Amino acid sequence: MRTGEDNSLLDRVQEYDLPAIGEVYDRYAGRIYNYIYYRLGDTQLAEDLTGAVFIKMLEAIQSSKSWQVSFSGWLYRIAHNLVVDHFRRTQQDRAAPLDERIVAGDQDPVKTVERRLENDRLRLAIGQLTEEQRQVITYKFVEDLTNAQVAEIMGKTEGAIKSLQFRALASLRRILEAEES
Amino acid sequence: MLRPGEIEEALEQCLLCMQRGEPAEACLAGYPELREELAPLLAIAQRVHEAAPAPPNAAAALARGRERVLRQAARQRIARRSAPWVQRLAGFFAPLLRRGLASTVAAVVLIVVLLAGTSAIASANSLPGDPLYPVKLAAESVQLALTLDPNSRIAVEHTLEQRRVDEAQAIVKQHRIAHVSFQGIVEAYDGSTLTAAGLTIQINASTQLAGPQPAPGLTVQVSAESNSDGILIGKAIKTLAPAMPSPKLNSAQVAHTAMPAALVAGATSTQRASAGATPHPGRSSAGASINAQSSPAAATAQAVTTSPAPSASPLSPAGTVTPSREGQVHFAGLITRLAPDLWEVAGLQVRITTATQIDSSASPPAVGAWADVKGTRDSDGSILARKIVVEHSSEPEVDLIEFQGAIEAASSDQWTVDGQAFEINSATTITGEPNSGWQAEVQAQRQPDGTLLATSIVVYAPQDIPAKLAGTIDEIGASYWLIAGRRVSFDSQTAIRGAAALGARTEVQGLEQADGSIRALVVHIHANSAPTATTVFTATAAPPAGAPAMTPQHGKSGSGGGNPQQHPAPAQD
C-alpha cells in the first residue's frame, strides 16, 4: 500500500518534477535492472532497457491509471513488455534465468563444478516449463517478487499466481526426478 | 479431502515461512497431511533461489541511466511548458492512438489541417518513440493512399523514404533508444558493420540478413535499434533487388556510362541528412536519375524512338546518362550551371532557346535544383531543350554542430555559450530565457564564412537541472552546509533525514544553482557515520530565510535532535 508521501511523490512525477523522478528512479531502478538482467543475461541490454522503462514510465504515467493500483507492479509490467518486445524482435531463445556463469564464492573447484552442473540441470528443467510457469519461477524465486507484484506483471489474480506457482514447482519436480532417475 | 486451493495456499504459506528464515521442516509442521507432497516442492524452490546468479554491479550503469532519464524528463517538461496546447493534443490522442482506427481518424484530421496550411503540428517533427509518431505515420499512409497519380506517388514514396532516414539520423544523434526502419543505398559492408544512407549499423549474430549479400550500390531495407550510445544495432537487413530503370524512359534511348568522378564524389554525401537539407530521396547528389544497374542501352548508332511524354517524376537512383547521338532525349539531374542560353544538367550541356518551355512552378531554376529535361540531341551531340521542368530545389548540405554550456552573453543577434559565439536570427528557435549562467543546448549551422548560426536553443532554468552529491559534511553554517567541498543551501522544502554532524556521510539530491551551489531538496545523513568527538548541530530557533538554523554545540557527540523536516526512510513497495 502506498503512503501519503508516495502519493505526493508520484503526483510530482506526473508534473515532471525532476527530484521526484530521480527519487523514483533511485528506488526502483536497481530492481528493474536486475529483473531485466535475469531475463536477458546481458548487462548492456539491461542498462538500455532500464532507462527505457523509466522513460516509458514518464510517458505512460500521464495517461494510464494502472500505476495507482501498484506502482512497482506497473513498472515491472513495463519492463516485462520491453523484454518480450526484445524477444520478439530478436527471436532470442527465452532462456531460463540461470546463466552459465560459475557462481561466485569459494574457490573450491569441486564445489564449483558441482554448482555448475546443478545450474545446468535446473536451467534445462526450467526450459521445459511452459512460458507462464517459467515466468512465475523467475519472478518468485529469482527476483523474489511478491504474489501481488507478479499478479500485476502477468495480469492475473494472486490466486492464479499461487496455482501457477504450485504447478510450476510440481512440473519441475517431475522433470528433475525423471532426469535424476 | 482437500479443498480447492488448499494445497496451493499451504505451499504459499510455507514459502513465506522460509523467507522469514525458518527451516523447511518447521514450516511444514503446520501441514502434516501435506508434508509428503510439499517438501519436494519447497526443496526445489530453494534450489532455484540459491542457483540464481548474483546480479552484476550496476552502479555505473544505473547512474548513466539516471542522467538520461532526468534529461529526457527535463526536455519533456520544457516542451510542455513552451507548447501546452500541443501536449494537451497529445494527451487527448494518446489513449486513442492505441486503436488503429482512431489513429487513422486522427491522421485524416491532421491531413485536413495540414492541407489548410496550418503549421507547427507537433507530429510532423515527431520521431520514433514519440507519442504522436503513430499519427505521423498514419497521416503519411493516408497521404500516400490519396495520391493517385503514379508519378506523384513515386515522389511521395521517395519523400517518405528520405524522411525515415532523417528520423533515424536524428534518433542516433540524440542517443535515443528507439526502433528505426529505413531504406538506403549501401556505402560499405564488411560483415560486421553496414553503412547505408550515411548511417552505420552494427551487425551481430542476431541480425537477420535476407536477400543477396549487401554490397556498395545495392539498396537495403534496414530495421535497427538505437541504443543510448548512439549506435544502431541491426535487427533485420534485407537487400533489395536492384531497381529497374524508370518505366518512364525507354532504356533504348540512353546508354549507360560510368559516372564522372565529380559526380561520384558527391554521391555518398546526399544521404547524410541534415536539418534544412532536402536531399533527393535515393539520388546521388549530382548524377542523373537513370539507375546505374540498368544494362547499357543500344549503341550510339541505334535509332532512337520517340518516347511518350511522361510527366515529371523522381526517377530511380543514379548514374549519369549519355543520350544516344541523335533523336529525342529525356533525362533528369541536378542543375550545376545556369546561364541565359545554356544550362548544365546532370553534367550535360543543354541549350536554351526562346522555344524552350521552362516550368518553374514547383521551384525556380537554380544551381542545385533538380530538372527534368526533354529535348533533342543534334548531330554534334549538343542537346536542345524542348521542355524543362524544375522539380524542386536542393539546399546545400549544412554542417550542423551541437554543443551545450553556460550562457555567457546574449544579445538580439549574438549569444556566447561555453565560450562559443554564434549568431541568431528570426529563424532561430529559442526555448527558455537567455539568462546569464543558465545552461543552454545549442544546435547551429556553420556558415560559409565559418561563423555559426543557431537553429535551435534550449535554455534550462537552474531548477530544471537536477544535482546529486555525496560526501562528508565539512562545514555547517547558518544557511548552508559544505559537503564534499560544495556549498549546499536549504529552504523550507528541504527534507533532512538523519542527524547532521561534521564528518557524517551525506547524500544530497537537489537542483543546480547558477553559482555552482546546490539547493538541497533531500538530504540523507548516514547514521553513525560521523567520527566520534565531533560537533553536533541541533535546530534551535526558527530557520532564517527558509534554511535550517544550526547552532554549534561543541564537545558533544552522538545524534542531535530536532532537525527540521526530518523524514523516515521511504517505505518500500
Side-chain angles (χ1 to χ4, degrees):
Chain A
M1 187 196 309
R2 294 210 311 272
T3 64
E5 183 181 340
D6 294 339
N7 286 333
S8 169
L9 181 67
L10 295 175
D11 287 341
R12 286 161 51 208
V13 169
Q14 275 192 298
E15 296 300 317
Y16 291 108
D17 182 274
L18 299 186
I21 293 169
E23 188 163 342
V24 165
Y25 182 91
D26 291 338
R27 279 194 198 184
Y28 297 105
R31 284 190 275 165
I32 295 294
Y33 177 94
N34 289 347
Y35 166 72
I36 295 174
Y37 174 75
Y38 284 137
R39 294 294 304 277
L40 301 178
D42 184 304
T43 54
Q44 185 59 56
L45 271 175
E47 177 180 341
D48 289 345
L49 292 187
T50 300
V53 166
F54 286 89
I55 290 173
K56 272 204 176 300
M57 179 274 292
L58 289 176
E59 299 167 3
I61 201 170
Q62 304 295 330
S63 54
S64 167
K65 300 299 180 193
S66 304
W67 58 272
Q68 294 180 346
V69 176
S70 166
F71 182 79
S72 67
W74 178 67
L75 213 56
Y76 269 104
R77 185 146 189 94
I78 294 175
H80 164 80
N81 290 340
L82 285 179
V83 167
V84 169
D85 287 347
H86 173 80
F87 283 140
R88 283 196 192 119
R89 283 193 300 273
T90 63
Q91 296 183 351
Q92 177 181 331
D93 179 31
R94 303 183 190 199
L98 309 177
D99 65 9
E100 296 181 3
R101 294 175 308 153
I102 297 170
V103 175
D106 57 70
Q107 299 299 313
D108 185 331
V110 173
K111 286 188 179 175
T112 300
V113 170
E114 284 176 350
R115 268 197 295 273
R116 181 189 291 173
L117 290 173
E118 169 70 4
N119 275 6
D120 287 346
R121 274 195 293 270
L122 278 175
R123 184 173 58 252
L124 288 172
I126 293 174
Q128 297 179 51
L129 299 177
T130 66
E131 174 62 24
E132 283 192 334
Q133 289 176 350
R134 235 188 342 255
Q135 284 181 23
V136 80
I137 291 291
T138 304
Y139 295 141
K140 289 294 309 268
F141 306 117
V142 178
E143 270 290 292
D144 291 333
L145 299 182
T146 65
N147 285 344
Q149 291 169 330
V150 178
E152 168 71 21
I153 295 169
M154 297 183 69
K156 294 182 182 297
T157 63
E158 288 191 43
I161 295 302
K162 290 178 192 174
S163 296
L164 199 56
Q165 167 181 262
F166 175 81
R167 290 199 302 274
L169 287 173
S171 297
L172 263 183
R173 175 191 177 186
R174 280 195 304 275
I175 295 168
L176 286 168
E177 285 178 353
E179 287 181 0
E180 287 162 4
S181 67
Chain B
M1 181 76 167
L2 289 175
R3 296 189 306 277
E6 182 177 352
I7 191 168
E8 291 88 348
E9 184 61 34
L11 172 65
E12 176 65 19
Q13 292 306 316
C14 288
L15 290 169
L16 289 172
C17 172
M18 288 172 65
Q19 281 180 3
R20 293 192 294 268
E22 299 288 334
E25 284 302 323
C27 300
L28 286 167
Y31 306 94
E33 70 283 7
L34 300 175
R35 186 192 176 289
E36 191 175 334
E37 188 159 4
L38 290 180
L41 304 187
L42 296 180
I44 289 171
Q46 188 69 18
R47 282 168 71 178
V48 174
H49 181 75
E50 289 172 352
N57 186 332
L62 292 177
R64 287 191 294 268
R66 189 182 198 277
E67 183 180 341
R68 273 200 313 277
V69 170
L70 290 180
R71 285 240 171 249
Q72 178 66 16
R75 286 192 201 100
Q76 290 180 356
R77 174 174 159 158
I78 291 172
R80 191 162 88 159
R81 277 201 212 125
S82 60
W85 70 268
V86 172
Q87 294 298 327
R88 286 199 294 273
L89 184 67
F92 175 73
F93 276 115
L96 301 178
L97 291 176
R98 296 190 194 102
R99 305 182 185 88
L101 177 60
S103 292
T104 305
V105 170
V108 172
V109 170
L110 184 63
I111 288 287
V112 171
V113 173
L114 287 173
L115 291 174
T118 303
S119 61
I121 299 294
S123 75
N125 292 324
S126 61
L127 294 174
D130 290 343
L132 288 180
Y133 190 68
V135 176
K136 179 181 180 181
L137 292 180
E140 291 175 356
S141 298
V142 172
Q143 181 189 6
L144 197 59
L146 295 177
T147 305
L148 301 178
D149 176 64
N151 295 330
S152 300
R153 191 182 174 88
I154 292 174
V156 171
E157 287 173 348
H158 284 176
T159 299
L160 298 183
E161 284 170 12
Q162 185 59 45
R163 197 173 290 170
R164 297 290 87 80
V165 172
D166 295 345
E167 289 166 358
Q169 293 181 347
I171 289 287
V172 167
K173 191 175 283 189
Q174 295 174 27
H175 288 216
R176 287 173 59 164
I177 299 170
H179 181 80
V180 297
S181 179
F182 61 91
Q183 204 176 90
I185 297 176
V186 177
E187 297 159 29
Y189 175 68
D190 63 4
S192 61
T193 58
L194 171 82
T195 303
L199 291 157
T200 299
I201 302 105
Q202 301 284 341
I203 311 293
N204 58 28
S206 62
T207 306
Q208 296 178 357
L209 298 174
Q213 177 162 328
L218 297 182
T219 301
V220 288
Q221 177 66 43
V222 176
S223 172
E225 296 269 332
S226 69
N227 64 19
S228 54
D229 293 325
I231 296 174
L232 283 177
I233 310 293
K235 298 303 170 188
I237 296 174
K238 181 178 178 182
T239 306
L240 305 179
M244 298 302 293
S246 165
K248 298 294 176 278
L249 294 178
N250 185 339
S251 60
Q253 294 175 265
V254 298
H256 166 68
T257 61
M259 293 171 71
L263 297 176
V264 171
T268 60
S269 66
T270 301
Q271 297 289 355
R272 247 178 273 118
S274 51
T278 54
H280 303 289
R283 291 180 175 142
S284 67
S285 59
S289 57
I290 307 302
N291 190 298
Q293 303 285 332
S294 62
S295 54
T300 55
Q302 182 177 6
V304 174
T305 59
T306 302
S307 65
S311 55
S313 67
L315 302 171
S316 310
T320 54
V321 59
T322 302
S324 44
R325 277 283 155 205
E326 288 184 24
Q328 305 290 328
V329 294
H330 179 195
F331 63 94
L334 277 183
I335 303 172
T336 50
R337 199 170 83 177
L338 266 183
D341 58 354
L342 187 72
W343 293 13
E344 189 174 84
V345 180
L348 303 170
Q349 307 279 324
V350 179
R351 286 187 290 119
I352 309 297
T353 68
T354 53
T356 305
Q357 296 177 37
I358 298 179
D359 181 352
S360 59
S361 56
S363 178
V367 172
W370 190 269
D372 185 279
V373 178
K374 291 176 192 167
T376 54
R377 187 181 183 99
D378 293 338
S379 57
D380 63 357
S382 64
I383 297 173
L384 176 64
R386 186 177 72 249
K387 182 176 181 182
I388 299 178
V389 178
V390 184
E391 292 182 1
H392 47 83
S393 63
S394 168
E395 294 177 27
E397 271 203 29
V398 293
D399 183 8
L400 259 192
I401 67 169
E402 293 181 346
F403 55 94
Q404 61 188 47
I407 298 173
E408 298 169 14
S411 67
S412 59
D413 58 357
Q414 188 176 67
W415 288 28
T416 303
V417 170
D418 196 31
Q420 175 67 63
F422 56 91
E423 295 174 0
I424 64 171
N425 60 17
S426 56
T428 305
T429 304
I430 301 176
T431 306
E433 297 298 319
N435 290 321
S436 180
W438 287 17
Q439 293 290 308
E441 286 182 354
V442 182
Q443 189 179 71
Q445 295 176 359
R446 190 170 300 282
Q447 304 301 292
D449 63 358
T451 60
L452 292 178
L453 175 64
T455 54
S456 160
I457 306 173
V458 177
V459 181
Y460 293 88
Q463 57 266 31
D464 293 331
I465 302 175
K468 197 170 181 179
L469 176 67
T472 55
I473 300 176
D474 300 324
E475 183 181 327
I476 298 179
S479 60
Y480 71 92
W481 294 359
L482 271 184
I483 299 174
R486 200 154 171 200
R487 188 180 172 111
V488 178
S489 59
F490 304 87
D491 61 17
S492 57
Q493 300 301 314
T494 304
I496 300 179
R497 301 183 180 122
L502 283 181
R505 283 191 299 112
T506 305
E507 290 169 11
V508 177
Q509 292 179 27
L511 301 168
E512 288 275 355
Q513 302 302 293
D515 61 0
S517 66
I518 296 175
R519 180 161 65 82
L521 296 167
V522 178
V523 179
H524 178 65
I525 305 165
H526 290 261
N528 304 318
S529 63
T532 54
T534 183
T535 303
V536 176
F537 290 79
T538 59
T540 53
M550 297 294 177
T551 303
Q553 294 182 5
H554 297 283
K556 293 184 182 177
S557 62
S559 63
N563 281 321
Q565 299 181 353
Q566 268 194 308
H567 294 268
Q572 293 297 317
D573 237 350

